[in-house]
Amino acid sequence: MIDLHLLLIAMIIGAIIAVEVKDLLSSVVALGAVGLVLSIAFLVLKAPDVAITQLVVEILALIILIRATLRKDLPFSASGRWVLNTFIAVCFIGVILVVAYKCFKDLPEFGYPIMRVAETYLKEGLPKTGAANIIASVILDYRAFDTLGEATVLFTAVIGVLALVRRIGRKRADETISDKEEY
Amino acid sequence: MSLYLLCLSLFLIGLYCVLRKRNIIKIIVGIIICEYAVNLFFVLVAYKIGGRSPIHSPEQAIENMVDALPQAVVLTSIVIGLATTALLIGIAMRIYQKYGTFDITKIRELNG
Amino acid sequence: MSREHDKGMSVIVKTITRLTVGLIFLYGIHILSHGHVSPGGGFAGGIIVALSFVHLMLAYGKDVALEKLPRGVTSLFEGMGAIIFLSIALIGFTSGYFFINFLAKGEPFRLFSAGIIPLCNIAIGLKVGAGLFAIFVALVLLKFDTESKENKK
């Protein structure tokens, strides 16, 4: 499993660069690199469906983020209580680290999952639903309620974005004529 | 175990970014890193030593597949993550349009 | 952003786009319709179809892409995907319960097999692709709006 360790370390380095670099556009591009390495990690972990979805989602998210940050690289204001804020953040993260380490001891060891539910799906998926791809049969037949809920969340998000960008609502008097064609 | 700890450290980097940074775009970057770490943790738990991907083949019978349930859950989670990220970016761009800055400490001073 | 920039990128980018955008669209349809026999499915296929229109918009400017797929049609597709998915679920009540696989299973490893799963994939693909393209168009138009306001000041 040395390859997975290398991929995870590459992701951590990319994440540190994305967090610490000053320029916003560089930060977003480093985030894109993290997402692409994550896609390769999914492929190594034998999840090709998730890898394809992660790849295309990453590209679309990167385009949207770059559109948002283009020509808006503001310098950071590093003033204020730097020491106190960092101390509080590091203490909080340390507490989470200790608790999570104790939780990880109760998990099954890496590579030996408890497949009590999935065994049924893997054994009876092909004869009962007729789909060769077990993941398709899980998300659209056995657990289609999940997908229905996902569609609802997506619909709500689209309505939220469209409501955020519309111009009709609260409009000042001088803008009423000029911006009529947009929303 | 070491892979779980590396995945946890990736999550903690994103958490540090959310807690400490003041730029709204940086906070969104931190949230996206947290989301990556959680998705990766689900797929890590599903992995089986020597397993094959859960897709049947017409030529041969494939035994010893990896766990399919967490992968199906992650598949929906990724798309929801993209939609919520777009919503966050829309809110951030509205804030920039109204206040002229991405800095969360200066938003209160410049209302108008 | 100047008026020439609104109309898209250089000639090289436009030519390459004209050659590749159809292939990207077809690849999205392939991923979407073979979701039950190979990796892929409605989510990935829908996003690839949306990415082909995003590609068109980035290369040629917003007018050409919105002429190919107007905003009203995008909303129509998204609502249609949701309604198809929900009605497939509701038709299941005629032979049992919610989301029952009421069609014939067919022969495995063929394109026309697995009952309602390919239909659900198409519905999900329509919904995801149209929704994400609507989000992208809304954010891009908001961006242009902000900049024109800055130029005015």
Side-chain angles (χ1 to χ4, degrees):
Chain A
M1 283 289 108
I2 188 70
D3 46 352
L4 265 179
H5 283 89
L6 286 179
L7 286 174
L8 268 164
I9 289 169
M11 281 177 66
I12 288 173
I13 293 171
I16 290 174
I17 292 173
V19 169
E20 286 301 328
V21 76
K22 295 273 184 199
D23 187 16
L24 282 184
L25 195 56
S26 313
S27 165
V28 170
V29 171
L31 185 73
V34 175
L36 295 182
V37 177
L38 178 63
S39 169
I40 301 173
F42 283 151
L43 206 54
V44 173
L45 285 167
K46 302 287 190 295
D49 288 272
V50 188
I52 292 176
T53 312
Q54 172 68 35
L55 187 65
V56 291
V57 160
E58 180 56 46
I59 292 167
L60 193 49
L62 199 59
I63 292 173
I64 293 176
L65 269 169
I66 286 177
R67 295 299 293 190
T69 60
L70 213 58
R71 300 167 66 185
K72 279 183 196 165
D73 43 354
L74 306 170
F76 275 18
S77 55
S79 65
R81 297 159 296 186
W82 196 90
V83 178
L84 183 64
N85 284 350
T86 310
F87 179 70
I88 291 172
V90 169
C91 279
F92 186 56
I93 286 173
V95 170
I96 290 180
L97 189 60
V98 171
V99 174
Y101 182 74
K102 292 201 173 180
C103 292
F104 279 164
K105 282 185 177 165
D106 292 337
L107 278 180
E109 200 183 340
F110 175 70
Y112 300 95
I114 305 170
M115 293 165 66
R116 206 175 298 152
V117 182
E119 234 170 289
T120 321
Y121 296 159
L122 294 178
K123 207 178 294 169
E124 300 176 357
L126 184 57
K128 274 199 174 174
T129 68
N133 191 348
I134 301 291
I135 294 177
S137 73
V138 171
I139 65 172
L140 291 177
D141 196 311
Y142 287 110
R143 291 182 173 249
F145 268 117
D146 279 1
T147 315
L148 191 62
E150 188 269 348
T152 314
V153 173
L154 190 65
F155 198 68
T156 314
V158 172
I159 289 175
V161 172
L162 291 183
L164 266 176
V165 302
R166 68 197 261 272
R167 303 289 313 267
I168 298 171
R170 297 162 293 156
K171 195 176 278 187
R172 269 172 283 166
D174 55 335
E175 291 178 342
T176 314
I177 303 146
S178 63
D179 292 334
K180 201 119 196 172
E181 71 271 12
E182 301 284 352
Y183 294 90
Chain B
M1 187 75 190
S2 61
L3 280 170
Y4 291 166
L5 284 178
L6 282 173
C7 189
L8 177 69
S9 58
L10 189 65
F11 180 80
L12 291 180
I13 289 169
L15 193 64
Y16 173 79
C17 185
V18 172
L19 288 175
R20 188 64 189 81
K21 297 295 175 187
R22 290 181 176 176
N23 198 315
I24 296 179
I25 298 291
K26 283 280 180 156
I27 291 174
I28 294 174
V29 166
I31 290 172
I32 295 174
I33 290 173
C34 287
E35 188 191 308
Y36 286 169
V38 173
N39 288 341
L40 179 63
F41 182 70
F42 268 64
V43 181
L44 276 179
V45 169
Y47 185 69
K48 195 175 186 181
I49 293 284
R52 308 276 303 267
S53 14
I55 295 167
H56 286 285
S57 160
E59 284 93 21
Q60 53 179 344
I62 293 178
E63 305 280 325
N64 195 15
M65 287 180 180
V66 300
D67 197 347
L69 189 54
Q71 294 187 9
V73 173
V74 165
L75 195 61
T76 58
S77 153
I78 289 173
V79 180
I80 291 177
L82 177 59
T84 52
T85 304
L87 188 58
L88 282 174
I89 292 169
I91 293 172
M93 286 166 76
R94 267 297 190 205
I95 287 174
Y96 187 84
Q97 204 178 7
K98 191 164 170 56
Y99 295 97
T101 179
F102 275 143
D103 196 335
I104 55 170
T105 59
K106 287 187 182 152
I107 286 172
R108 209 176 299 159
E109 302 162 7
L110 290 175
N111 59 353
Chain C
M1 217 170 262
S2 66
R3 193 69 195 147
E4 295 85 44
H5 232 75
D6 256 8
K7 296 216 176 95
M9 298 187 183
S10 67
V11 180
I12 301 171
V13 179
K14 282 185 180 176
T15 310
I16 299 293
T17 301
R18 197 162 55 230
L19 292 177
T20 54
V21 75
L23 294 177
I24 295 172
F25 186 81
L26 272 182
Y27 182 64
I29 298 288
H30 172 263
I31 289 271
L32 195 151
S33 58
H34 286 76
H36 54 292
V37 289
S38 67
F43 297 107
I47 300 172
I48 292 174
V49 169
L51 272 175
S52 72
F53 285 103
V54 168
H55 188 182
L56 205 61
M57 179 178 255
L58 289 181
Y60 279 90
K62 62 177 176 179
D63 295 332
V64 175
L66 286 184
E67 193 179 318
K68 291 258 193 295
L69 190 66
R71 215 180 298 140
V73 179
T74 314
S75 306
L76 181 71
F77 275 151
E78 200 202 350
M80 224 166 69
I83 287 175
I84 290 173
F85 192 54
L86 202 55
S87 54
I88 287 171
L90 283 177
I91 289 171
F93 274 124
T94 57
S95 59
Y97 49 88
F98 208 52
F99 273 122
I100 193 173
N101 201 338
F102 57 87
L103 289 177
K105 304 294 185 296
E107 193 184 345
F109 308 111
R110 288 299 182 82
L111 182 56
F112 294 102
S113 66
I116 63 167
I117 290 179
L119 296 177
C120 284
N121 261 331
I122 291 171
I124 291 287
L126 269 181
K127 174 152 185 49
V128 170
L132 292 177
F133 186 65
I135 286 178
F136 178 77
V137 169
L139 289 180
V140 166
L141 290 185
L142 176 67
K143 170 82 180 172
F144 287 159
D145 196 18
T146 312
E147 276 176 354
S148 68
K149 210 173 185 182
E150 277 168 6
N151 290 341
K152 251 186 266 174
K153 278 176 188 171

